[in-house]
Amino acid sequence: MNLRKVVFLLVGAGICIPALGGVRNAESVNSPDGKVSVTVMGDSLARYEVRLDDQLMIEPSALGLVTNLKGGGILTLDSVSEVRLLTDRYELPTGKRAVVDSRASERFFHFGRDGRKAMDVEFRVSDAYVAFRYKVYPQGETLCAVVSEEDTEFVVPENTRAYVCPQMSPMSGWARTAPSYETHYQVDVALDSLSRVAAPDGYSFPCLFRVGDAGWMLISETGIAGDYCASHLDYEGDRIFKIAYPDPAEQNGFGTTGAAIALPGYTPWRIVMLGKTLAPIVETTAPWDLVEQLYVPSLDYQYGKGTWSWIMKMDPSCNFDEQKSYIDFAAEMGYSSVLVDALWDTQIGYEGIEELARYGRDKGVSLYLWYNSNGTWNDAPQGPRGVMNDIVKRRKDMRWMAQNGVRGIKVDFFGGDKQETMRLYHDILADANDYGLLVIFHGCTLPRGWERMYPNFVASEAVRASENLHFSQADCDLEALNAALHPFIRNTVGSMDFGGSALNQFYNSKNKPDKGSQRRTSDVFALATAVLFQSPTQHFALAPNNLDDAPAWAIDFMKSVPTLWDETRFVEGRPGEYVVMERRAGDTYYLVGVNAGPEARKLTMNLPTSQGVVKGELYTDDAALAGSVKTVSLNRKGQLKVVMPAEGGFVYKYTVE
Ligand code: CA
C-alpha cells in the first residue's frame, strides 16, 4: 500500500498515524430517516464507510489531506460532536425546484495533535446523500496553508458499474482549450475497463455508479467560490476512486495545482448522492443544500428564452444584419433575448452592438454578448479576447453593457480547474452582478453550487453540447443516447447550457440536405428536451426558417415552454436507454420522455390525478417519427399510455382541474 494512504495528515516531513483519544474506534451518523449511515473509523488510519438500508455502498475509504503545515506529532481522533439535525428552507428559482426543504444530520469528527485542534471532518447525512468536508485549524502563528493533495477515496463495492466522462487532457482539443468537460460518456461499464489508457486524466464530476441491486450513487463536489481548486476522480484500480486535483499542465502550465487556504479553512464538500432508485439522484438538491448565497442580487434578474444564430450559421452569421433578423425572430417567438456569439467585436463593433441593443429594446428583446475568457491560456482566436481576465477591462465593458441594456454575457474557453481559474469564475460573476449582468459559461468547468451562491449565474456548458451536433454526424447519431444520460448525470448537479431543441433537419444555414450533419431525432424529441434539459435561460437552436418549415404545433410549443420550474419529478428511465421526467411551472405540468432505443418503448404512467380530471395536450411520434398533437383527458383513475419510438419522445402538457 502506498504509504501516503495510511496517514491522515502529513505534516511537513513527519508522518502522522492517528491514535485514538477518548472515543471509540468507530462512530456513526445516520440520516434523519435512518436509512443512510456513515461510520468513521480511526484505528490505524482514518476511514469512512457509507451504507444505504444496511447495504455497503462505499467500503472503508481513506480520509486525509496532504498539507505544508509545519510541526509533527501524532494526529488523534480526539472527540466526536453530538449529532445535530439541520433543517433549511430556501429558494432556488433557477434550479429544479423553486423552494427547497432540506434536512440532514450533522456531526463533526475532531482530530488533534498534542491536545491541540488540527482538523475536523464535518459530515452531513441526509436521506439522499452523504456530504463531508475538511476543516483545517491554525497551527500556532501559522494562519495559512497549502493543500497539495487529498487522500479522500471512494471505494465502491464489487459489482459496481460506471457511467462516467473522462477528464480531458490539459491543453488538448481545439485551440488548446481543454479541459472543458466535453467528452463522451462511458456508459454502464465494468470497473476493470476503466483504464489509465482510456482516461489518463481520470473522470470528470459528476460520476454515476450502479451498485448491483443495492442502488445508485452519483459522486460530485460543491461549494467552490474561487477559494479552492476544482477536483475530479482518478481511478486507482482495485475499486478505488480518489479525489484528484488539477493537472499541473492546465492553463499552459501557469498557476499551481492544489489549494491555498487561510486558516481556519475548508475544502469543498465531497458529495455521494444515493438511492435505491434513481429518483433521489435525479431530484437531488445536494449541491445547493450545502452552500449559501454569496451576495444579494443587484437586479430582479430576468431569464427566459432566446434565439442564437451561431448554432446553425456559425461565425459568419455574427454580423449586424443577421443579428437584427434574429432579434426579429426572437420577437416573433415572444422570446426575450438574442445571444450574439463570438467575433462581434470585429464583425459588428461596439457601436453596431449599441444600435442592435436599441433595435432590440423596441421589440422587448435584450442581448447576451459572447467573450473569450482570456488572452493567455488558449489559442482560440475569437474576440473579444483579453477582456474578461482583466478586472479593469472587464468592468469597463460591463459598465458599457449595463448602459446599453445588455442582459448578460457568455464567457468561453476557460480550460482548467486550478484555483487560479476558479477565482476568475468567481470574480467575473461578482463583477457582473455589480452591473446587473447575467453570466453563462462555456468551454468550462462544472458549476459547483453556483445557482444558489451567485444569483446572477445562469448556467454552464460543461457537457458535449449542441455545437457537436453541428460539427459531426457521429454526435447526431448519439444524440438520443446522450439525452438519456444528461438528466441522470450532468444536469442533475447543475444548470446546463446545452443550446438544443433544433427543429432544422440539417445543421446548416438553409436547412438543406446539401451539407452538414443530419438530425435523427424527432420534432417531439426536440420539444421534450426543452423540458428535460434544465437551464433558467435557454437559447434554443431554432432558426427563422422554422417559422415556415417546422410544424406549427412545434413552434407553438417552443413559444410557450417555461424555463423556470417549481418542481421536478423523476418518473422512470434508465441511463442511456430512456428517461421520463415531469416538471411543473405554476399549475401546468410537463411530463416528457425521450427514448434512445434501439426498440420502441411502451409506457403506462399513473398520473397524480387525485385532485381531479387531468386535461392536456399529448405530443407523440408515429413509427416513422412523424409527430402530432391531440387533446387527451384522463379521469380520476386515468393512466396515460404512450409509445415512444427509438430516437423519438413524448410530451404531455397538462393541468389538473
Ligand atoms: Ca463548447
Side-chain angles (χ1 to χ4, degrees), residues 180 182 412-413 442-444 461-465 467-468 471:
S180 52
E182 296 180 12
D412 208 339
F413 302 139
H442 262 237
C444 59
E461 186 183 31
V463 68
R464 205 171 162 84
E467 60 188 3
N468 293 288
F471 296 148

mmCIF file of all heavy atoms in Angstrom, residues 180 182 412-413 442-444 461-465 467-468 471, ligand 1:
data_model
loop_
_atom_site.group_PDB
_atom_site.id
_atom_site.type_symbol
_atom_site.label_atom_id
_atom_site.label_comp_id
_atom_site.label_asym_id
_atom_site.label_seq_id
_atom_site.Cartn_x
_atom_site.Cartn_y
_atom_site.Cartn_z
ATOM 1 N N SER A 180 -12.531 20.885 -20.810
ATOM 2 C CA SER A 180 -13.790 21.619 -20.750
ATOM 3 C C SER A 180 -14.997 20.693 -20.607
ATOM 4 O O SER A 180 -16.088 21.044 -21.004
ATOM 5 C CB SER A 180 -13.932 22.491 -21.994
ATOM 6 O OG SER A 180 -13.728 21.710 -23.151
ATOM 7 N N GLU A 182 -16.193 18.012 -22.037
ATOM 8 C CA GLU A 182 -16.976 17.780 -23.264
ATOM 9 C C GLU A 182 -16.687 16.425 -23.887
ATOM 10 O O GLU A 182 -16.773 16.264 -25.104
ATOM 11 C CB GLU A 182 -16.702 18.907 -24.268
ATOM 12 C CG GLU A 182 -17.173 20.257 -23.750
ATOM 13 C CD GLU A 182 -16.920 21.409 -24.714
ATOM 14 O OE1 GLU A 182 -16.591 21.163 -25.880
ATOM 15 O OE2 GLU A 182 -17.042 22.563 -24.279
ATOM 16 N N ASP A 412 -16.330 32.125 -22.642
ATOM 17 C CA ASP A 412 -15.989 30.816 -23.224
ATOM 18 C C ASP A 412 -14.504 30.502 -23.045
ATOM 19 O O ASP A 412 -13.684 31.401 -22.837
ATOM 20 C CB ASP A 412 -16.319 30.866 -24.723
ATOM 21 C CG ASP A 412 -16.673 29.506 -25.299
ATOM 22 O OD1 ASP A 412 -16.306 28.481 -24.718
ATOM 23 O OD2 ASP A 412 -17.323 29.498 -26.369
ATOM 24 N N PHE A 413 -14.170 29.211 -23.167
ATOM 25 C CA PHE A 413 -12.776 28.731 -23.286
ATOM 26 C C PHE A 413 -11.939 28.962 -22.036
ATOM 27 O O PHE A 413 -10.892 29.605 -22.087
ATOM 28 C CB PHE A 413 -12.077 29.407 -24.484
ATOM 29 C CG PHE A 413 -12.746 29.184 -25.812
ATOM 30 C CD1 PHE A 413 -12.850 30.221 -26.736
ATOM 31 C CD2 PHE A 413 -13.245 27.946 -26.158
ATOM 32 C CE1 PHE A 413 -13.453 30.027 -27.968
ATOM 33 C CE2 PHE A 413 -13.857 27.739 -27.390
ATOM 34 C CZ PHE A 413 -13.963 28.783 -28.300
ATOM 35 N N HIS A 442 -19.124 28.890 -20.977
ATOM 36 C CA HIS A 442 -18.942 27.815 -21.957
ATOM 37 C C HIS A 442 -17.484 27.387 -21.957
ATOM 38 O O HIS A 442 -16.612 28.122 -21.495
ATOM 39 C CB HIS A 442 -19.345 28.268 -23.362
ATOM 40 C CG HIS A 442 -20.717 27.835 -23.734
ATOM 41 N ND1 HIS A 442 -21.007 27.071 -24.847
ATOM 42 C CD2 HIS A 442 -21.888 28.035 -23.099
ATOM 43 C CE1 HIS A 442 -22.303 26.842 -24.887
ATOM 44 N NE2 HIS A 442 -22.865 27.418 -23.853
ATOM 45 N N GLY A 443 -17.230 26.199 -22.541
ATOM 46 C CA GLY A 443 -15.863 25.703 -22.586
ATOM 47 C C GLY A 443 -15.265 25.748 -21.187
ATOM 48 O O GLY A 443 -14.214 26.338 -20.970
ATOM 49 N N CYS A 444 -15.941 25.119 -20.239
ATOM 50 C CA CYS A 444 -15.729 25.465 -18.838
ATOM 51 C C CYS A 444 -15.852 24.265 -17.924
ATOM 52 O O CYS A 444 -16.142 23.163 -18.355
ATOM 53 C CB CYS A 444 -16.768 26.514 -18.446
ATOM 54 S SG CYS A 444 -18.448 25.922 -18.682
ATOM 55 N N GLU A 461 -21.921 25.320 -19.745
ATOM 56 C CA GLU A 461 -21.956 24.254 -20.735
ATOM 57 C C GLU A 461 -21.473 22.972 -20.029
ATOM 58 O O GLU A 461 -22.284 22.193 -19.569
ATOM 59 C CB GLU A 461 -21.070 24.641 -21.926
ATOM 60 C CG GLU A 461 -21.149 23.667 -23.070
ATOM 61 C CD GLU A 461 -20.196 24.041 -24.213
ATOM 62 O OE1 GLU A 461 -19.115 24.628 -23.956
ATOM 63 O OE2 GLU A 461 -20.511 23.720 -25.351
ATOM 64 N N ALA A 462 -20.172 22.736 -19.946
ATOM 65 C CA ALA A 462 -19.627 21.575 -19.232
ATOM 66 C C ALA A 462 -20.330 20.289 -19.634
ATOM 67 O O ALA A 462 -20.686 19.455 -18.798
ATOM 68 C CB ALA A 462 -19.685 21.792 -17.715
ATOM 69 N N VAL A 463 -20.540 20.146 -20.933
ATOM 70 C CA VAL A 463 -21.219 18.973 -21.479
ATOM 71 C C VAL A 463 -20.894 18.947 -22.966
ATOM 72 O O VAL A 463 -20.542 19.988 -23.546
ATOM 73 C CB VAL A 463 -22.747 19.084 -21.249
ATOM 74 C CG1 VAL A 463 -23.373 20.195 -22.079
ATOM 75 C CG2 VAL A 463 -23.458 17.761 -21.540
ATOM 76 N N ARG A 464 -20.970 17.797 -23.565
ATOM 77 C CA ARG A 464 -20.804 17.703 -25.005
ATOM 78 C C ARG A 464 -22.091 18.233 -25.631
ATOM 79 O O ARG A 464 -23.047 17.507 -25.845
ATOM 80 C CB ARG A 464 -20.529 16.252 -25.395
ATOM 81 C CG ARG A 464 -19.775 16.146 -26.675
ATOM 82 C CD ARG A 464 -19.292 14.749 -26.979
ATOM 83 N NE ARG A 464 -18.977 14.705 -28.386
ATOM 84 C CZ ARG A 464 -17.825 15.103 -28.904
ATOM 85 N NH1 ARG A 464 -16.858 15.533 -28.131
ATOM 86 N NH2 ARG A 464 -17.641 15.066 -30.204
ATOM 87 N N ALA A 465 -22.122 19.521 -25.904
ATOM 88 C CA ALA A 465 -23.368 20.240 -26.165
ATOM 89 C C ALA A 465 -23.702 20.299 -27.650
ATOM 90 O O ALA A 465 -23.077 19.646 -28.490
ATOM 91 C CB ALA A 465 -23.281 21.643 -25.561
ATOM 92 N N GLU A 467 -23.223 22.191 -30.102
ATOM 93 C CA GLU A 467 -22.259 22.525 -31.154
ATOM 94 C C GLU A 467 -21.737 21.259 -31.844
ATOM 95 O O GLU A 467 -21.472 21.257 -33.037
ATOM 96 C CB GLU A 467 -21.094 23.334 -30.584
ATOM 97 C CG GLU A 467 -20.319 22.588 -29.505
ATOM 98 C CD GLU A 467 -19.286 23.463 -28.793
ATOM 99 O OE1 GLU A 467 -19.201 24.662 -29.088
ATOM 100 O OE2 GLU A 467 -18.576 22.919 -27.928
ATOM 101 N N ASN A 468 -21.608 20.181 -31.068
ATOM 102 C CA ASN A 468 -21.097 18.934 -31.647
ATOM 103 C C ASN A 468 -22.097 18.285 -32.599
ATOM 104 O O ASN A 468 -21.713 17.526 -33.480
ATOM 105 C CB ASN A 468 -20.699 17.975 -30.533
ATOM 106 C CG ASN A 468 -19.502 18.508 -29.762
ATOM 107 O OD1 ASN A 468 -18.392 18.513 -30.265
ATOM 108 N ND2 ASN A 468 -19.754 19.014 -28.564
ATOM 109 N N PHE A 471 -21.149 19.982 -35.656
ATOM 110 C CA PHE A 471 -19.820 19.616 -36.162
ATOM 111 C C PHE A 471 -19.757 18.206 -36.726
ATOM 112 O O PHE A 471 -18.961 17.925 -37.612
ATOM 113 C CB PHE A 471 -18.766 19.726 -35.046
ATOM 114 C CG PHE A 471 -18.561 21.114 -34.508
ATOM 115 C CD1 PHE A 471 -18.206 21.315 -33.185
ATOM 116 C CD2 PHE A 471 -18.711 22.227 -35.332
ATOM 117 C CE1 PHE A 471 -18.009 22.594 -32.688
ATOM 118 C CE2 PHE A 471 -18.515 23.509 -34.836
ATOM 119 C CZ PHE A 471 -18.170 23.691 -33.508
HETATM 120 CA CA CA B 1 -18.044 24.059 -26.015
#
